[in-house]
Amino acid sequence: QIELSHPPGDAISALQFAPSGGGGSSRLLVASWDKRVYLYDTATSTSDGGGAAGLENGIEPGGGGGGRLLKTFDHRAPVLDVCWGEEGEEGEEEVYSTGLDWDVRRINLSTGVQTVLSSHTAGVKSLAYSRTHRILVSASWDSTLHIHHPHNPSLSHATIALPSKPFSLSLTSTKLVIIMASRALHIYDLATLASESSSPSPSPDPKVLQIEPWQRRESALRFMARAVACMPNDAGYACSSIEGRVAVEWFDPSALSQARKYAFKCHRQPSPEGVDVIYPVNALAFHPVHGTFASGGGDGFVALWDGVGKRRIRQYQRYAASVAALSFSGDGKFLAVGISPGFEDGKESTADGIVKIFIRELGENEAKGKGAK
């Protein structure tokens, strides 16, 4: 594995590889509490520590490591999430960001121009873009979703009220899953969201949609949720909590399919007193080819799991800090791991240089499931 040069100056909140195709899936977006979005090329080795790109963005050269920092994009407040959009009509690529400034932004990667698509009334925790339906969904701590049509300027965003504060969201080609406080979990049909939010509004005010979720569920996890990630085959999802536990569930509402759901303990380490220390499971990411998934915890470990076979495939060596975010490349050949202080040990001061991004190259069958026991 390689360590990227020029890591963010504060905690990492999210990272995401570019989708396959276009400019290749070696580029990586990173959102940070240092009020910046970072764009890296993870396939480029550096002999000059970032060279012109580093200087261009006001970052000192040096820092060692691999990869290359291409650009940074400044924000007014800590950035909590970032995702890739698609190429515009002029071939200019777009990404989206959001965070504690309450705004949902579109960033033109070519020009660096940022456009505010909508503003919530509290910090925005998560966002995701559906290439299938060409809509952008943001979830805010004001307990609302905003549905945007970035490529149709004539349409203002639409709002959907949520029953609780959202913690994480993920989508497939057909569904959107949102996990919230009070163990609430909603599954929406993306086609319905796209069509209902695209109908013209009689008033100039943003539309408020009364859309019933396709399914309402109670989370199988009793403690506060941290992350949710959908299976690449559109069959189900995994979610994690602060209590060192992951649940795996399927969309099919039939009794037979629902009987398959389960939860398991993970990211727990024995203490010198012989008692398990329980760490939060901060990050989940599904492998795009094999359908297995990775989990990252406050204990500094990354583990690969076969969700169907109910087996752990492997666990990697311990990182120097809490695992904050994970992302597989579009072809499944690389895993990006972002580490930041999680303050799980109760110490509020941290050593410098503990925020890092690692790119792990996976063997052909490294993330392949082993089947049931």
Side-chain angles (χ1 to χ4, degrees):
Q1 73 178 13
I2 64 164
E3 178 186 334
L4 293 185
S5 56
H6 299 304
D10 204 342
I12 293 166
S13 49
L15 49 77
Q16 191 179 74
F17 267 111
S20 293
S25 61
S26 66
R27 290 171 305 149
L28 183 75
L29 281 173
V30 179
S32 171
W33 280 75
D34 69 0
K35 306 180 185 178
R36 279 176 166 174
V37 168
Y38 293 74
L39 175 64
Y40 295 93
D41 181 356
T42 63
T44 309
S45 62
T46 56
S47 57
D48 60 353
L55 291 170
E56 186 181 296
N57 289 278
I59 297 168
E60 293 298 321
R68 186 161 65 98
L69 177 62
L70 300 177
K71 289 184 178 181
T72 62
F73 305 93
D74 291 334
H75 289 59
R76 294 185 303 155
V79 187
L80 298 185
D81 206 1
V82 66
C83 71
W84 292 86
E86 54 187 292
E87 288 188 7
E89 292 179 3
E90 306 296 322
E92 296 179 326
E93 204 165 13
E94 296 171 343
V95 299
Y96 304 102
S97 66
T98 197
L100 291 183
D101 62 0
W102 305 359
D103 292 338
V104 179
R105 297 169 179 266
R106 173 171 53 201
I107 305 173
N108 184 310
L109 289 185
S110 303
T111 63
V113 172
Q114 299 183 25
T115 308
V116 175
L117 299 179
S118 74
S119 296
H120 286 266
T121 56
V124 189
K125 174 63 176 65
S126 308
L127 80 170
Y129 181 75
S130 169
R131 288 195 163 202
T132 307
H133 299 281
R134 304 193 83 193
I135 58 171
L136 176 72
V137 182
S138 59
S140 166
W141 289 327
D142 64 11
S143 298
T144 66
L145 292 178
H146 281 186
I147 314 297
H148 312 81
H149 292 260
H151 304 287
N152 189 339
S154 65
L155 289 175
S156 62
H157 72 274
T159 301
I160 297 174
L162 297 173
S164 302
K165 177 192 280 190
F167 293 137
S168 181
L169 63 79
S170 181
L171 50 75
T172 68
S173 58
T174 65
K175 297 175 187 69
L176 169 72
V177 179
I178 305 152
I179 194 161
M180 297 168 271
S182 307
R183 297 177 68 182
L185 189 144
H186 281 188
I187 305 171
Y188 288 93
D189 177 67
L190 280 177
T192 303
L193 291 183
S195 62
E196 291 288 329
S197 60
S198 62
S199 57
S201 174
S203 73
D205 299 322
K207 290 174 287 191
V208 177
L209 302 179
Q210 308 293 330
I211 295 180
E212 188 68 18
W214 177 64
Q215 286 185 31
R216 295 175 186 260
R217 294 187 181 183
E218 182 179 76
S219 170
L221 305 171
R222 290 182 296 135
F223 291 84
M224 190 178 89
R226 268 291 164 95
V228 65
C230 289
M231 299 177 186
N233 63 357
D234 201 10
Y237 58 89
C239 53
S240 67
S241 77
I242 62 170
E243 190 239 349
R245 203 178 288 261
V246 170
V248 180
E249 301 196 24
W250 279 263
F251 291 136
D252 183 352
S254 70
L256 185 65
S257 182
Q258 289 307 301
R260 298 171 62 198
K261 67 182 181 183
Y262 66 95
F264 63 94
K265 300 174 184 177
C266 53
H267 296 284
R268 298 170 180 223
Q269 304 300 327
S271 69
E273 294 78 29
V275 179
D276 272 359
V277 179
I278 301 171
Y279 292 90
V281 184
N282 299 320
L284 296 172
F286 273 91
H287 192 279
V289 178
H290 300 306
T292 53
F293 67 91
S295 65
D299 57 354
F301 282 105
V302 172
L304 288 179
W305 307 90
D306 181 348
V308 176
K310 300 184 180 180
R311 298 181 68 177
R312 189 175 80 182
I313 301 169
R314 58 179 36 86
Q315 179 172 280
Y316 297 111
Q317 87 279 5
R318 192 171 198 165
Y319 289 96
S322 175
V323 178
L326 297 169
S327 177
F328 283 104
S329 60
D331 56 12
K333 293 180 179 178
F334 297 93
L335 173 64
V337 180
I339 66 167
S340 308
F343 307 109
E344 289 86 0
D345 55 6
K347 299 175 183 175
E348 294 189 8
S349 60
T350 60
D352 290 338
I354 206 146
V355 176
K356 296 180 179 180
I357 303 164
F358 295 94
I359 308 297
R360 173 174 288 276
E361 186 172 4
L362 303 177
E364 190 175 344
N365 295 316
E366 192 170 331
K368 196 170 185 178
K370 296 181 177 179
K373 288 183 179 178

